[in-house]
Amino acid sequence: MDSPVVSDEEYEEEGNYKSLYVRAVDDMRQIMDPAYGKSAMRWYSYDRLELVRTQAIIDVGGWDTLIPYYMTDCDMHERLWMKGFKIEATTVGRIYDIFSSVDDLETFYRRTSQAINVTKPDGRKSTAYYTLLAKLDVMQKAKESDIVRRNTWQWRQHGGQGEPFYRDSDGFGDGIRMTMEFGRDVFAAKWGRRKCNIREAGLTDSDAWRVEPDWERRGIAKMVQAFIGGLYTPLINGS
């Protein structure tokens, strides 16, 4: 996943413009204040960009390194909530999720091949800025609409043969996919559920690795239902 981040150049606070960076720093100062309470994270466009209070992660025992990639975020977030920490979603700018690359990185700096675009005295809200947003919107929609290829960037990385850290793209992609599936399996074994709704099931952190898998309970229920149905079918039929 690639996540380009761009300040919202139309945003002003009490008549003053604040960049994405300044707004994130303001948030950091707020959650670091002891009077604010137990805050762990601020999500900006879920966790595409995230402000993390490190001490909160330490207080719940750190990341579970047995769960790589997929579901490790669910495991962490649920454990933070179980311990009474706050995870809040807010906005600091424009954050995108794309699976392709911007052709010319100079566009992030509002530059052209000849000179800097200065259609506004302060460089804000220029034509180049809105052109960049339009391009990123198209790229994000392309990923969202392409269910098959949206997570296939690993297989599309080519080049680098002969370099020290070269990886075969097909093998790298297969390895990532296998690691993702392994993470899902570990999470399911740890919490007895394959989804992130751990607290909705009434679980606490002490239930980890001690819970009967919910899919096994459903399987047993179906077996019992089928067995009872088999017993009573002759009676219903008058046999």
Side-chain angles (χ1 to χ4, degrees), residues 4 6 96 98 102 108 132-140:
V6 182
Y96 298 85
I98 62 177
V102 176
F108 283 99
L132 174 62
L133 295 187
K135 180 181 293 186
L136 293 174
D137 281 335
V138 170
M139 296 172 75
Q140 178 163 286

Side-chain angles (χ1 to χ4, degrees), residues 78-98:
E78 291 290 321
R79 287 190 289 124
L80 285 167
W81 277 316
M82 288 174 183
K83 292 294 187 180
F85 284 98
K86 292 186 289 187
I87 299 177
E88 301 163 298
T90 187
T91 302
V92 291
R94 299 176 181 272
I95 302 164
Y96 298 85
D97 176 20
I98 62 177

Side-chain angles (χ1 to χ4, degrees), residues 50-219:
E50 192 170 13
L51 178 63
V52 178
R53 187 165 170 266
T54 308
Q55 188 58 49
I57 304 295
I58 295 172
D59 289 347
V60 298
W63 294 90
D64 188 340
T65 55
L66 293 176
I67 308 176
Y69 291 103
Y70 281 20
M71 307 307 290
T72 191
D73 54 343
C74 291
D75 177 81
M76 172 55 71
H77 299 154
E78 291 290 321
R79 287 190 289 124
L80 285 167
W81 277 316
M82 288 174 183
K83 292 294 187 180
F85 284 98
K86 292 186 289 187
I87 299 177
E88 301 163 298
T90 187
T91 302
V92 291
R94 299 176 181 272
I95 302 164
Y96 298 85
D97 176 20
I98 62 177
F99 69 167
S100 53
S101 7
V102 176
D103 295 333
D104 184 4
L105 294 180
E106 293 268 326
T107 57
F108 283 99
Y109 302 95
R110 308 309 177 263
R111 294 193 181 105
T112 64
S113 57
Q114 287 79 29
I116 299 176
N117 187 315
V118 287
T119 54
K120 289 281 183 180
D122 58 0
R124 287 172 49 212
K125 297 188 280 188
S126 66
T127 301
Y129 170 71
Y130 291 108
T131 299
L132 174 62
L133 295 187
K135 180 181 293 186
L136 293 174
D137 281 335
V138 170
M139 296 172 75
Q140 178 163 286
K141 289 175 182 177
K143 178 173 181 177
E144 292 171 346
S145 62
D146 195 334
I147 300 175
V148 176
R149 296 191 307 139
R150 67 187 311 271
N151 286 325
T152 59
W153 58 267
Q154 301 94 340
W155 287 269
R156 294 186 286 111
Q157 304 297 306
H158 297 288
Q161 289 88 341
E163 296 180 1
F165 296 99
Y166 168 73
R167 297 289 185 274
D168 175 79
S169 60
D170 290 334
F172 178 71
D174 289 342
I176 291 291
R177 177 182 53 78
M178 294 167 68
T179 306
M180 290 174 176
E181 291 302 322
F182 177 74
R184 289 189 178 103
D185 290 342
V186 175
F187 178 88
K190 179 178 180 178
W191 295 110
R193 305 175 73 79
R194 295 190 182 277
K195 296 182 179 180
C196 292
N197 56 346
I198 299 173
R199 289 166 301 132
E200 293 178 12
L203 301 180
T204 66
D205 57 339
S206 62
D207 292 317
W209 299 106
R210 299 176 180 275
V211 186
E212 180 185 8
D214 61 349
W215 60 89
E216 289 188 6
R217 289 199 299 273
R218 286 197 297 270

